[in-house]
Amino acid sequence: MLARVRRNGGTAEEFIGRSGPGVQARVPVVTSEGANKVQDVRFVGLDGPGWLLRGTITGTGAVPGSTDAWSCGMRLVGR
């Protein structure tokens, strides 16, 4: 994932947050108006025996240093 983001012109760093390990990235995007911009994205995931859950967070919850409770405090009940 890190290599793909970087290969496409973005930046990506691994981090350990409240929801466990993840990737903090800035990816280049083209808006509907045709403008080139950079979007903050956070990739998080959880796994267990025989299953994997991966999430992609954008918006204020993806900004580096964000403390949005819903994006930083994700957890599965019973874990």
Side-chain angles (χ1 to χ4, degrees):
M1 183 180 292
L2 297 171
R4 181 178 293 170
V5 169
R6 292 173 181 156
R7 190 171 44 248
N8 289 327
T11 61
E13 299 291 330
E14 293 182 62
F15 74 95
I16 303 293
R18 289 173 41 194
S19 58
V23 173
Q24 179 71 52
R26 299 194 85 199
V27 296
V29 296
V30 178
T31 68
S32 57
E33 294 82 26
N36 293 317
K37 294 198 174 211
V38 177
Q39 181 173 18
D40 290 308
V41 180
R42 186 179 292 177
F43 301 102
V44 294
L46 299 168
D47 65 342
W51 61 271
L52 169 70
L53 173 66
R54 184 182 302 167
T56 303
I57 301 167
T58 60
T60 59
V63 175
S66 172
T67 57
D68 270 6
W70 75 268
S71 64
C72 294
M74 294 187 326
R75 67 181 178 89
L76 293 179
V77 175
R79 282 205 75 179

